[in-house]
Amino acid sequence: MASGSDRNPIIIGGLPSQVPDFDPEETQEWLDSLDAAVDERGRERARYLMLRLIERAREKRVAVPEMRSTDYVNTIPTKSEPFFPGNEEIERRILNATRWNAAVMVSRAQRPGIGVGGHIATFASSASLYDVGFNHFFRGKDEGDGGDQVFFQGHASPGIYARAFLLDRLSEQNLDAFRQEKSKAPHGLSSYPHPRLMPEFWEFPTVSMGLGPIGAIYQARMNRYMNARGIADTSRSHVWAFLGDGEMDEPESLGQLSIAAREGLDNLTFVVNCNLQRLDGPVRGNGKVIQELESIFRGAGWNVIKLIWDRSWDPLLAQDRDGILVNKMNTTPDGQFQTYATETGAYIRQHFFGDDHRLRAMVEHMTDDQILHLGRGGHDHRKIYAAFKAAKEHKGQPTVILAKTIKGWTLGPNFEGRNATHQMKKLTVDDLKGFRDRLHLPISDKELESGAPPYYHPGRDTEEIQYMHDRRKGLGGYVPTRVVRAKPLALPEDKTYATVKKGTGQQSIATTMAFVRLLKDLMRDKELGKRFVLIAPDEYRTFGMDSFFPSAKIYNPLGQQYEAVDRDLLLAYKESPTGQMLHDGISEAGCTASLIAAGSAYATHGEPLIPVYVFYSMFGFQRTGDQFWQMSDQLARGFVLGATAGRTTLTGEGLQHADGHSQLLASTNPGCVAYDPAFAFEIAHIVKDGLRRMYGPDSEDVFYYLTVYNEPIQHPAEPENVDAEGIVKGLYRYSEGTSGSIPAQVMASGVAVPWAIEAQRILAEEWNVRADVWSATSWNELRREAVAVEQHNLLHPEEEQRVPYVTRKLTGAQGPFVAVSDWMRSVPDQIARWVPGTYQSLGADGFGFADTRGAARRFFHIDAQSIVVAVLTELAKEGKVDRSVLKQAIDRYQLLDVSAADPGAAGGDA
């Protein structure tokens, strides 16, 4: 036995420390004992003893470092499994009927002439996980609260429909209309969980992989937030997220695990269906994805429950005294386990148990068929129930259940565990017969051979169906169900908007600050104030919102357990368990998930929240556009602020901060109402209209996107008889030309309106051009309305043909029309075809860069002088001015010299 001085020091996981050894002799005795156990009983026995010591140390509250992973066995030992309260035989029959109908629905959707497909293998692997949840855990909404929030794995939707069919929530007509939402309306079923398409059924869209996990985390957090602030009692709500092991490769799946652990979200459970397969092959062929995920979740501070083996393994594990079976489980890679799922019992006997006499002896009394049916834990109702119950009862941490399954389970040898299973959509007659026999269903061969396979329903009065109804009644109603109980909010009086409508006089502020001032007034409203949820990715001070710190405070369930470094300042950083502001750190994805959870609270919990999410505009739709699509799908509402907008406004930051396209990206989202306001009074009208549309008596499922800038300007007071309708619809004449004899029109948005006003002055004073300036508050809404008009006219030729708003608004205005913005030209070009006259646009196409505002605008030729030349160019084309003036103007304004431009206003971070 080696002495201490002879040992080679091995540092693993940072276990040795600088803590001195005050009793080296005692330490040596412990080390000698371990050496003796290894020498006399073997490494397996020594390993077992070490694990038991760690377990006992934790029982005695000795601070032992967490192990990153544990053995490849169930976390919950057989002796600790709770009593299973259900009737397993009835539940098995229910599940068999559900499995059949799910597969048949997809197979029928693949019939000739339809061919819309679907997926059957994912649900086949996770069916037992869902069934235990439906029968014993998922709370409905019938008790008046929000119940549980269940994020169903998108590709498992056929199974959820199939169960709803047994409960008479859906008909055969519905099942036959799977993925035929328009052609079979109103009976069509969406392919995946889409609340916008099925607003009374689905709650959470999940099939864009990775968005379900992050959405569930922030939903659980939002539940705590609402409860802490006294807005809704969410104390009984539990969030369940059903995920795939391949899905965990998405950055959004794992990127925000720490916030769930940091805030102790024990109202959250991830159930990861570890069927070991992605869409086209193994998740970790040479590795072990369950072990890998265990390490990740443990490291992030989660409670991990592994559910790997079903009860048929219990007798074998009970006799594994030397750990040889566990070692075999630990060292067999996932790719090999997938092969075992497709092979015979004889193959498994030879290749899994055959290389060690002790393993061979364990199964010598078992037949090949018994070995073949040694199953995986994700298909065992009792094991699943134990895991779910432990997750619900665990306190202080979120829980992840890693459940091992077989993809395509019960569908037969052509499906189970095959790499191509995800893409297989149709079962042959032989497949159907084998599947029927496996499920013990009373369906004849003739029924399977004479056309489309039939659905199976045991009968509405059978004990299976009554059992299902009774279980759901006991759990508070059917799941999934989306219910909107929220009442319209009392909207603020007009006086709330009065301050910002007055303008800023001689003071210069950015439109971002103008919005913040309005928000401050809105938050004083007795009805609405508490419902605002402020969200920002670590940039409240940048956006001038630190003024909210003292009053609204930053939400932290632990409060502020330290003295803030800026505690003596008026706008000190203040955290509170009842704080109103969500400071989600440097994570736009996390902030957008908070936005979605808050914006859909009116449906989830029956209490409207008004989220206000402020971010660098470049990092909104570009970085998290998929989540904004999810937001629309989830019918969420709220205000989204793209601050520091524009390609030339954020000086010094450069390419990756220069947003000249988010308005264009926003235009692709049908649920997004996007504006680019220039002045404070425009913001007031837009926000007022947004509150009405989203939270008034006839609420709509939209959200508002406002791009606001950090360039300080003097905001004018609202003009008398302002065209409020025009502001909301997207276009109004702000300034009518008063001098000059040659007419022209300049249309501008956002920060470009002041350039247009300056161009109006130059055109009149130097070129005899009388230009009107139009503020285009929303190019996107103008186009959207025009498209709707054309669609109506296309289908109703017999009716009087409608005219788009932009055309009606500009009729009578003498062109040419020149449009300008701090966006790429594609943004204003959206309305070109409906402008009644010659139309030209200026824009900031290309990459942004760091420089002064003036230099950048001269480079892109969107500044006032460039607008002047653009107007003169169009007038020259129409023969209204001589072409010789164009070169004169270019030379006079030095348009080819970027350095000749006035640098413009500096600063203005907010």
Side-chain angles (χ1 to χ4, degrees):
M1 187 178 301
S3 66
S5 59
D6 297 332
R7 297 178 188 275
N8 292 319
I10 299 175
I11 301 176
I12 299 175
L15 293 180
S17 70
Q18 289 182 275
V19 177
D21 187 350
F22 291 108
D23 194 341
E25 292 184 7
E26 182 183 29
T27 302
Q28 190 61 50
E29 290 176 6
W30 281 87
L31 295 174
D32 291 344
S33 296
L34 176 60
D35 290 344
V38 172
D39 294 342
E40 297 172 15
R41 302 294 302 276
R43 290 186 175 86
E44 291 84 2
R45 177 60 180 169
R47 181 178 183 277
Y48 177 79
L49 291 172
M50 289 297 299
L51 291 174
R52 287 303 307 273
L53 282 172
I54 292 172
E55 182 181 46
R56 179 55 57 88
R58 290 198 178 123
E59 291 173 0
K60 298 290 187 181
R61 299 185 182 278
V62 178
V64 180
E66 185 74 34
M67 288 189 299
R68 286 176 300 205
S69 65
T70 58
D71 285 329
Y72 199 66
V73 294
N74 295 343
T75 301
I76 302 173
T78 305
K79 64 180 180 180
S80 300
E81 291 174 10
F83 170 75
F84 180 72
N87 185 316
E88 197 168 3
E89 175 57 27
I90 293 178
E91 292 188 16
R92 182 188 64 79
R93 297 201 299 269
I94 291 169
L95 186 55
N96 287 350
T98 305
R99 286 182 181 278
W100 175 266
N101 290 328
V104 165
M105 178 179 69
V106 173
S107 186
R108 287 167 69 118
Q110 198 63 12
R111 61 192 180 274
I114 301 297
V116 293
H119 301 281
I120 55 180
T122 293
F123 177 72
S125 65
S126 58
S128 296
L129 299 170
Y130 286 116
D131 213 49
V132 171
F134 279 123
N135 289 328
H136 302 286
F137 291 96
F138 303 156
R139 290 182 59 250
K141 299 175 180 289
D142 288 356
E143 295 178 15
D145 62 5
D148 284 356
Q149 289 78 55
V150 185
F151 289 70
F152 294 96
Q153 193 176 0
H155 291 108
S157 62
I160 313 306
Y161 291 140
R163 196 173 208 278
F165 165 69
L166 294 177
L167 289 166
D168 278 340
R169 300 185 65 203
L170 298 174
S171 65
E172 281 196 27
Q173 195 173 13
N174 290 128
L175 299 194
D176 271 345
F178 176 58
R179 290 191 169 196
Q180 300 152 75
E181 297 171 71
K182 300 301 182 184
S183 61
K184 295 293 179 66
H187 306 290
L189 299 181
S190 63
S191 52
Y192 302 121
H194 292 306
R196 183 167 287 273
L197 301 177
M198 296 179 65
E200 296 180 356
F201 192 86
W202 295 113
E203 277 200 284
F204 306 104
T206 54
V207 82
S208 188
M209 292 191 185
L211 300 194
I214 192 171
I217 289 172
Y218 282 87
Q219 182 62 59
R221 186 206 195 196
M222 185 56 59
N223 290 358
R224 288 285 171 82
Y225 171 89
M226 294 182 72
N227 196 69
R229 295 194 54 225
I231 293 173
D233 182 0
T234 62
S235 58
R236 299 179 64 201
S237 291
H238 197 86
V239 178
W240 302 85
F242 286 80
L243 318 167
D245 48 356
E247 181 178 10
M248 305 313 287
D249 287 344
E250 289 284 3
E252 293 87 353
S253 297
L254 300 174
Q256 290 295 291
L257 297 183
S258 60
I259 190 173
R262 189 165 63 245
E263 298 198 5
L265 297 181
D266 50 24
N267 60 337
L268 171 66
T269 298
F270 276 14
V271 182
V272 184
N273 173 24
C274 297
N275 57 35
L276 312 186
Q277 285 185 231
R278 292 198 187 99
L279 307 187
D280 291 319
V283 180
R284 298 289 185 273
N286 292 324
K288 300 178 78 65
V289 70
I290 291 178
Q291 301 298 85
E292 178 182 324
L293 290 175
E294 179 187 26
S295 297
I296 292 170
F297 278 92
R298 280 183 180 274
W302 285 51
N303 175 46
V304 180
I305 298 175
K306 293 197 293 191
L307 174 57
I308 299 180
W309 307 115
D310 74 3
R311 71 192 74 173
S312 63
W313 287 91
D314 289 348
L316 298 181
L317 287 165
Q319 58 181 297
D320 186 30
R321 293 183 175 275
D322 52 11
I324 190 64
L325 177 58
V326 170
N327 183 63
K328 185 67 175 179
M329 293 171 170
N330 286 341
T331 56
T332 301
D334 285 352
Q336 190 62 43
F337 276 124
Q338 289 303 82
T339 299
Y340 293 144
T342 65
E343 284 290 349
T344 64
Y347 179 94
I348 298 170
R349 184 190 298 274
Q350 177 184 351
H351 290 87
F352 184 80
F353 295 100
D355 58 359
D356 188 287
H357 70 92
R358 292 167 294 181
L359 289 175
R360 293 195 297 273
M362 277 188 186
V363 295
E364 61 185 2
H365 65 288
M366 299 176 66
T367 65
D368 287 348
D369 188 64
Q370 287 174 321
I371 290 176
L372 179 66
H373 287 93
L374 289 169
R376 301 187 180 182
H379 304 307
D380 187 324
H381 279 215
R382 291 180 181 271
K383 301 285 188 183
I384 296 168
Y385 179 85
F388 281 22
K389 187 172 187 291
K392 275 293 296 289
E393 294 175 353
H394 186 78
K395 299 302 177 185
Q397 292 173 291
T399 294
V400 59
I401 297 170
L402 303 173
K404 188 175 183 180
T405 66
I406 293 177
K407 195 162 189 175
W409 177 242
T410 73
L411 291 175
N414 292 329
F415 283 79
E416 290 181 354
R418 302 291 177 180
N419 281 340
T421 292
H422 187 78
Q423 304 301 335
M424 298 168 69
K425 309 173 188 302
K426 191 171 179 64
L427 294 98
T428 65
V429 172
D430 288 340
D431 289 333
L432 288 165
K433 289 180 180 179
F435 188 32
R436 172 206 60 191
D437 294 343
R438 180 82 171 267
L439 301 178
H440 307 288
L441 297 179
I443 300 172
S444 68
D445 286 353
K446 183 178 180 181
E447 291 177 279
L448 300 180
E449 294 168 351
S450 58
Y455 296 113
Y456 173 70
H457 196 297
R460 289 170 177 79
D461 297 326
T462 59
E463 63 176 347
E464 295 96 328
I465 303 304
Q466 291 305 309
Y467 182 92
M468 294 177 74
H469 284 295
D470 289 345
R471 293 308 308 135
R472 291 316 313 158
K473 183 178 179 181
L475 287 166
Y478 299 107
V479 174
T481 299
R482 183 177 180 274
V483 180
V484 179
R485 295 192 178 102
K487 297 178 180 179
L489 298 178
L491 301 178
E493 298 178 2
D494 287 346
K495 64 181 182 181
T496 307
Y497 304 93
T499 300
V500 294
K501 288 183 178 182
K502 291 178 181 177
T504 60
Q506 297 301 310
Q507 183 185 14
S508 293
I509 66 170
T511 47
T512 302
M513 186 56 70
F515 176 85
V516 170
R517 288 185 178 182
L518 174 60
L519 180 61
K520 188 172 291 186
D521 290 338
L522 289 169
M523 289 178 65
R524 293 191 180 104
D525 186 274
K526 291 182 180 180
E527 172 64 23
L528 253 63
K530 67 178 182 180
R531 297 186 180 274
F532 282 95
V533 180
L534 276 53
I535 306 168
D538 195 45
E539 291 283 3
Y540 278 121
R541 295 186 190 276
T542 297
F543 306 135
M545 298 178 71
D546 47 347
S547 58
F548 291 103
F549 288 167
S551 54
K553 298 184 179 62
I554 297 154
Y555 172 72
N556 188 323
L558 301 177
Q560 187 163 323
Q561 301 177 4
Y562 61 92
E563 282 192 323
V565 67
D566 59 358
R567 61 190 180 280
D568 296 328
L569 300 180
L570 180 63
L571 303 182
Y573 194 88
K574 292 187 179 179
E575 298 180 81
S576 168
T578 59
Q580 194 164 354
M581 308 170 75
L582 294 178
H583 205 307
D584 282 344
I586 307 175
S587 172
E588 283 83 4
C591 290
T592 311
S594 284
L595 165 71
I596 296 169
S600 53
Y602 73 95
T604 310
H605 293 293
E607 290 289 349
L609 295 175
I610 309 173
V612 177
Y613 172 31
V614 191
F615 53 86
Y616 271 73
S617 61
M618 185 74 168
F619 307 131
F621 283 87
Q622 176 168 303
R623 184 182 287 258
T624 57
D626 196 11
Q627 285 180 285
F628 283 114
W629 201 260
Q630 178 192 25
M631 182 178 184
S632 281
D633 195 348
Q634 199 163 315
L635 311 178
R637 305 164 183 171
F639 291 96
V640 177
L641 276 293
T644 62
R647 187 142 284 164
T648 68
T649 308
L650 190 58
T651 57
E653 292 290 338
L655 187 150
Q656 286 191 260
H657 286 68
D659 172 27
H661 54 278
S662 72
Q663 280 285 343
L664 194 63
L665 296 175
S667 73
T668 66
N669 191 316
C672 176
V673 182
Y675 288 92
D676 187 34
F679 301 125
F681 69 84
E682 293 179 354
I683 293 173
H685 284 281
I686 292 166
V687 170
K688 179 181 178 182
D689 185 64
L691 289 172
R692 176 190 63 81
R693 288 184 64 181
M694 294 186 288
Y695 299 97
D698 301 311
S699 57
E700 302 175 50
D701 297 317
V702 296
F703 69 94
Y704 271 50
Y705 177 54
L706 279 70
T707 43
V708 288
Y709 299 82
N710 76 322
E711 181 174 2
I713 64 170
Q714 293 177 6
H715 290 258
E718 178 180 281
E720 290 186 23
N721 303 315
V722 67
D723 184 1
E725 180 190 47
I727 292 174
V728 170
K729 287 186 174 291
L731 181 68
Y732 74 102
R733 180 154 42 196
Y734 172 73
S735 174
E736 189 171 353
T738 58
S739 60
S741 61
I742 307 172
Q745 310 297 321
V746 179
M747 305 165 66
S749 71
V751 76
V753 173
W755 318 337
I757 294 170
E758 174 64 9
Q760 179 188 50
R761 181 191 65 79
I762 297 173
L763 285 165
E765 294 178 0
E766 301 181 22
W767 304 102
N768 192 33
V769 174
R770 186 182 72 253
D772 295 342
V773 173
W774 299 75
S775 178
T777 53
S778 180
W779 309 101
N780 295 358
E781 287 302 293
L782 291 174
R783 179 188 182 278
R784 183 171 289 169
E785 189 270 348
V787 168
V789 166
E790 285 196 346
Q791 182 77 357
H792 178 272
N793 292 343
L794 175 70
L795 301 176
H796 301 87
E798 75 287 356
E799 297 181 8
E800 181 180 353
Q801 297 293 279
R802 299 176 181 177
V803 179
Y805 177 82
V806 62
T807 307
R808 287 186 280 117
K809 201 70 176 174
L810 295 175
T811 296
Q814 293 180 270
F817 297 84
V818 172
V820 61
S821 74
D822 208 12
W823 307 99
M824 57 194 301
R825 292 173 62 177
S826 298
V827 175
D829 282 352
Q830 292 180 94
I831 67 168
R833 61 180 294 175
W834 298 287
V835 174
T838 304
Y839 184 81
Q840 182 59 271
S841 65
L842 303 176
D845 286 72
F847 290 112
F849 51 86
D851 212 314
T852 65
R853 293 187 176 109
R857 287 159 190 169
R858 180 60 53 87
F859 174 84
F860 287 116
H861 300 299
I862 54 177
D863 57 0
Q865 292 75 16
S866 297
I867 297 170
V868 169
V869 173
V871 171
L872 293 175
T873 300
E874 296 306 312
L875 288 170
K877 289 179 182 177
E878 296 181 359
K880 296 177 181 179
V881 300
D882 192 276
R883 287 193 62 83
S884 63
V885 306
L886 302 183
K887 183 67 165 61
Q888 295 176 33
I890 291 172
D891 291 342
R892 180 183 300 181
Y893 305 128
Q894 298 177 274
L895 291 193
L896 301 180
D897 184 0
V898 171
S899 63
D902 184 336
D909 288 341

